[in-house]
């Protein structure tokens, strides 16, 4: 038994290829449909938004997709990320479980998001694109793409959900430090934004609206593309570096996880950790419990419908089959902004339907309690999103104590909370309250799902 | 020639002993004097504030001081810290110089400060102490000691300079997340604080005042000690893990630095990086240029007097011989709060007098310009303090280009700027202006230096 705390790899261990789960699945996920014709989209439908390399990655069935050397060169700035044994947390919980976590907060932007921002920026630059428009909620994706853009000489325009834009000036300053432009959404720069401001000049915005604005800008200009920080197959593909490194690091530790845990908003940090493990299982390997953790206030996997839906509010995106609360659903303004999205990655939804993963939802106070326990034992203050994974890991460790089991738990600590301290201030002041979505609004949003006969 | 970007070591390479420069100096630094008698202080004089182990470390002439295993165990959470070759920055500057940096921002509190907070908390816990009182300016030290206290079950009381307390609520939230208590200074809790508030109820505070408050609390209670985050010999001793690891990592890189650079406030991150290198030089090794970089608005090394002075405003501390602007000097409120101290570590002052190091001062706008160049090429957004070292490293690299030299530069990137983004907001908005100290105030503060015949 190793007594190490931290498992570090040198940069020669950065994966040379991303892993594509589709290659090992018993059935592929349902096709993406054109919003007008309801027919499967082809590459040409997506070409106004994405470079062809990413479109090809979106639909490939190859098991391995080579990581270009310029991307690996940037990955070296923080990858391989460390994997920790949470010995102090185990002691604090007095649990027979072993708890490991992969820590993605070491990236320059502080989360797993640069894992995909960097290749997306690279492929766009290779395709001769000058500018990328994108949306951001809490700001983690926007700052990650801004970082990646600064490295590849791309202009980055970020539409930031207005409520976050006002609440998180530090995230905005980070984007501007990387040279990006960041505007509050809804904005006056797009038809979609102006239409909403005409009805409500003080609209606080949503991810669905910000996506509409970014997609509109990208579709209009030949030199401009769009980039998404989660949900899509190619995004989850890029995140598999997390799981691939973890497999090697867990082998260094001499342990093999029984339980894998990740928080889910769009699904990318979760997929990044668990897909390589699911692949091994599908190829005849060990069966593990795989737990997706989402907020009770935006519970797409546990309360949504598995149906075709739009990714945005203005219905500019293609239709994807996913667990959705309906594109008209507006989640309450809880603190884990990165988990505040009506839909789930089609690939995560598909493996849920295949029975390969389980899902659970937590209220935010329980998650922040877990985050503070974690900070006081492991030192790292987790992002509000990551606190959902921490809560589930702690609960599994406490169950193990009751049941007399000693499972090996591995969770993805997908980012730090340095730019989210207002949430901790509210928590310490007793002002952070649990939030429920509106049942009537959910029913109406689900009733408004597009009717697709596929 | 290695083509690596990041030099990582596994945790077996965490140093087993700190390095004590005093063992290799041609003469020891002048003794610390009792503020009343002006006689050298003995251990008993310091016993109300510090545990005996730290008092012994303060005066030891041993070359190596063993790092206790429980301290090394905590160091494993982030140490060894990475050392980077700044290839992208070199390309951006188009310089023949090689630029390396040691990155201490990977610690839980985001700077080098936990390197000494952890052993200080450990030794206090071993001595049966329940509580530590301390001061903090920008909050990096306060959050580091709070982190360390949470690991060793100590109560931590932080007196935070009021202007920072109000400007940096996120740092405060971090301390509270670790379970510490943080109050604005001057406070009603001490004689020193009440005396100042009686004259000016809206006094914005200073490090010198906050030190007075913390020392007063510690001196009054048997279960409470005091801890300082810089200046003292034992603090600089603990920071030598930075330089010791760097020596090993530079060997991995196949390069040997010609120029070493660190920013200096109290002197601890600078001493931590350069003392092990100076030791090699003093034992007959290579001579390197060693550059201490300080803010023009608080230039103790470049404009201060080398004289005995108090460490605090209320004159509760012993007298130490150091480069000082006078304990009555109040530096202007520039953004690098960690460099806003009237004095310099006696050991750094001593090596400056011995001609072993050089010093220079920069205005803050030039430093933030350097920080943004760095962020856009290397991804990491530096702390305002660290920007001073970045500026000097960039300037040396640009000089090299003009002079046709290709020196190997190593600087200490002592922390990230995640909790200092307001400074970047001001910089981007053109509101960050250079600041000058008041020449008359400096003259008066120097005239008020205590008269010591030693």
């Amino acid at each position: 038994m190793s007594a190490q705390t931290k498992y570090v790899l040198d940069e020669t261990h950065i994966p040379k290829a991303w892993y594509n789960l589709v290659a090992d699945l018993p059935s592929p996920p349902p096709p993406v449909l054109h919003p007008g014709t309801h027919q499967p989209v082809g590459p040409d439908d997506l070409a106004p938004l994405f470079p062809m390399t990413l479109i090809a990655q979106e639909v490939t069935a190859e098991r391995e997709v080579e990581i270009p050397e310029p991307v690996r060169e940037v990955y070296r700035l923080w990858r391989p990320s460390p994997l920790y044994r949470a010995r102090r947390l185990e002691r604090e919980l007095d649990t027979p479980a072993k708890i490991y976590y992969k820590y993605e907060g070491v990236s320059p932007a502080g989360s797993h998001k640069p894992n995909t921002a960097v290749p997306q920026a690279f492929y766009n630059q290779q395709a001769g694109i000058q500018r990328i428009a994108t949306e951001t909620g809490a700001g983690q994706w926007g700052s990650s793409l801004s970082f990646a853009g600064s490295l590849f000489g791309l202009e980055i325009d970020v539409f930031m959900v207005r409520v976050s834009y006002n609440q998180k000036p530090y995230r905005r300053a980070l984007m501007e430090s990387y040279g990006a432009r960041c505007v509050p959404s809804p904005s006056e720069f797009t038809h979609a934004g102006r239409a909403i401001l005409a009805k409500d000049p003080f609209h606080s915005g949503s991810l669905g609206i910000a996506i509409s604005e970014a997609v509109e800008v990208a579709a209009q200009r030949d030199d401009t593309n769009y980039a998404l920080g989660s949900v899509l197959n190619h995004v989850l593909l890029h995140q598999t570096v997390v799981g691939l490194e973890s497999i090697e690091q867990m082998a260094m530790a001499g342990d093999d996880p029984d339980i894998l845990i990740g928080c889910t908003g769009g699904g990318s940090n979760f997929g990044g950790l668990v897909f390589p493990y699911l692949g091994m299982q599908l190829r005849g390997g060990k069966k593990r419990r795989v737990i997706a953790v989402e907020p009770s206030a935006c519970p797409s996997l546990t309360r949504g419908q598995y149906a075709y839906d739009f990714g945005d509010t203005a219905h500019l995106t293609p239709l994807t089959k996913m667990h959705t609360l309906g594109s008209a659903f507006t989640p309450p303004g809880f603190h884990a902004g990165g988990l505040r999205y009506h839909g789930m990655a089609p690939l995560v939804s598909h493996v849920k339907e295949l029975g390969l993963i389980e899902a659970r939802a937590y209220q935010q106070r329980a998650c922040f309690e877990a985050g503070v326990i974690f900070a006081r034992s492991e030192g790292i203050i987790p992002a509000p999103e990551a606190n959902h994974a921490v809560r589930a890991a702690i609960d599994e460790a406490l169950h193990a104590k009751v049941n007399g089991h000693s499972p090996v738990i591995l969770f993805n600590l997908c980012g730090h909370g340095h730019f989210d301290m207002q949430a901790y201030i509210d928590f310490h002041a007793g002002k952070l309250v649990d939030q429920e979505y509106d049942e009537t609004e959910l029913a109406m949003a689900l009733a408004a799902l597009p009717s697709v006969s596929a």
Side-chain angles (χ1 to χ4, degrees), chain A residues 5-6 81-89 100-107 110-111 140 367-384 386-387 390 394 411-421 424 428:
Chain A
T5 296
K6 186 155 88 305
S81 66
L83 182 139
Y84 287 87
R85 171 89 180 267
R87 293 184 184 277
R88 291 173 176 275
L89 179 62
Y100 290 88
Y101 60 98
K102 178 74 165 168
Y103 183 42
E104 290 293 310
V106 293
S107 82
S111 76
Q140 294 195 335
C367 295
F368 276 87
E369 277 162 20
V372 168
I373 292 169
F374 185 83
R376 290 183 189 178
S377 45
E378 296 293 312
I380 299 165
I381 188 127
N387 280 342
V390 176
I394 288 179
F411 73 92
N412 195 7
L413 190 70
C414 61
H416 61 60
H418 300 173
F419 297 98
D420 306 286
M421 294 306 294
Y424 284 91
H428 294 311

Side-chain angles (χ1 to χ4, degrees), chain A residues 26 182 185 218 221 230 233 244 284 315 355-356 386 431:
Chain A
C182 175
S185 164
R221 291 180 51 152
S230 190
N233 296 352
L244 293 167
H315 296 179
L356 293 168
K431 288 185 194 156

Side-chain angles (χ1 to χ4, degrees), chain A residues 159-163 165 183-213:
Chain A
F159 291 90
M160 187 169 186
V161 176
R162 187 180 296 272
V163 59
Y165 182 90
V183 297
S185 164
S187 80
E188 291 286 353
F189 297 104
T190 66
H191 291 291
R194 286 191 294 271
I196 286 162
L197 289 175
K199 285 187 217 154
D200 177 2
F202 303 105
H203 198 291
S204 59
S206 75
L207 262 181
I209 294 168
I211 293 175
S212 294
E213 292 206 89

Side-chain angles (χ1 to χ4, degrees), chain A residues 94-419:
Chain A
D94 188 24
T95 174
K98 293 181 187 173
I99 307 176
Y100 290 88
Y101 60 98
K102 178 74 165 168
Y103 183 42
E104 290 293 310
V106 293
S107 82
S111 76
H112 63 293
K113 296 287 186 191
N115 296 333
T116 184
V118 171
Q120 290 195 52
F122 168 73
Y123 291 124
N124 274 289
Q125 182 225 35
Q126 292 291 100
I129 288 296
Q130 311 282 314
R131 195 166 71 132
I132 301 180
T134 198
E135 73 291 328
T136 200
Q140 294 195 335
W141 168 244
S143 48
S144 299
L145 192 68
S146 301
F147 155 66
S150 79
L151 299 181
F152 291 105
L154 296 170
E155 286 175 55
I156 306 292
D157 277 358
V158 182
F159 291 90
M160 187 169 186
V161 176
R162 187 180 296 272
V163 59
S164 294
Y165 182 90
N166 292 330
Q167 278 173 358
K168 302 198 176 220
Y170 284 15
R171 273 280 173 202
R172 196 171 11 123
L174 184 58
M175 293 182 233
E176 288 169 0
S177 295
Y178 290 135
R181 194 171 69 142
C182 175
V183 297
S185 164
S187 80
E188 291 286 353
F189 297 104
T190 66
H191 291 291
R194 286 191 294 271
I196 286 162
L197 289 175
K199 285 187 217 154
D200 177 2
F202 303 105
H203 198 291
S204 59
S206 75
L207 262 181
I209 294 168
I211 293 175
S212 294
E213 292 206 89
V215 166
E216 183 184 322
V217 165
Q220 275 168 356
R221 291 180 51 152
D222 282 349
D223 66 348
T224 303
N225 265 348
Y226 169 70
L228 190 63
S230 190
V231 178
L232 299 178
N233 296 352
H234 68 266
V235 177
L236 276 62
L237 175 78
H238 300 156
Q239 292 293 353
T240 57
V241 288
V242 177
L244 293 167
E245 289 176 7
S246 297
I247 289 169
E248 200 171 336
Q249 288 163 311
M250 288 303 300
M252 284 171 76
D255 270 324
D256 193 9
D258 303 300
I259 304 175
L260 296 166
I261 296 169
C263 65
T264 45
S268 76
N269 95 74
F270 171 78
L273 175 69
V274 312
F275 282 4
Y277 279 103
L278 285 179
M280 292 199 292
Q281 174 179 329
L282 289 163
R283 296 192 301 276
K286 168 175 163 177
K287 169 106 177 79
R288 298 172 177 83
R289 283 183 60 208
V290 179
I291 307 172
V293 191
E294 61 183 12
S296 296
C298 191
S300 56
L301 273 175
T302 53
R303 298 293 310 278
Q305 202 163 311
Y306 185 55
Y308 271 102
D309 195 8
F310 293 97
D312 72 326
T313 307
H315 296 179
L316 301 176
T317 69
L319 292 163
T320 49
K321 194 154 186 186
M322 57 183 177
H323 290 88
T324 178
L325 302 164
S327 67
F329 177 80
T330 305
F334 56 93
H335 271 296
L339 307 182
R340 212 154 57 201
Y341 185 61
H342 68 275
M344 179 50 58
L347 215 38
V348 171
S349 292
H350 186 55
V351 297
K352 173 76 164 52
E353 288 299 302
L354 291 172
L356 293 168
I357 65 170
E358 53 190 282
R360 77 174 62 153
Y362 285 115
Q363 282 287 2
Q364 65 177 350
R365 263 200 310 187
C367 295
F368 276 87
E369 277 162 20
V372 168
I373 292 169
F374 185 83
R376 290 183 189 178
S377 45
E378 296 293 312
I380 299 165
I381 188 127
E385 293 81 5
N387 280 342
H388 290 73
V390 176
R391 176 79 264 170
I394 288 179
D395 282 1
E396 290 301 320
L398 294 175
H399 289 323
K401 189 170 160 180
V402 174
N403 300 333
H405 297 152
S406 50
V408 175
I409 300 168
L410 168 61
F411 73 92
N412 195 7
L413 190 70
C414 61
H416 61 60
H418 300 173
F419 297 98

Side-chain angles (χ1 to χ4, degrees), chain A residues 35-67:
Chain A
T37 65
H38 290 196
Q39 294 303 306
V41 296
D44 289 349
D45 295 313
L46 299 172
L49 299 183
F50 301 106
M52 274 301 161
T53 333
L54 287 176
I55 294 171
Q57 289 182 2
E58 188 64 20
V59 297
T60 183
E62 291 292 314
R63 182 173 286 125
E64 297 204 324
V65 175
E66 191 188 341
I67 305 177

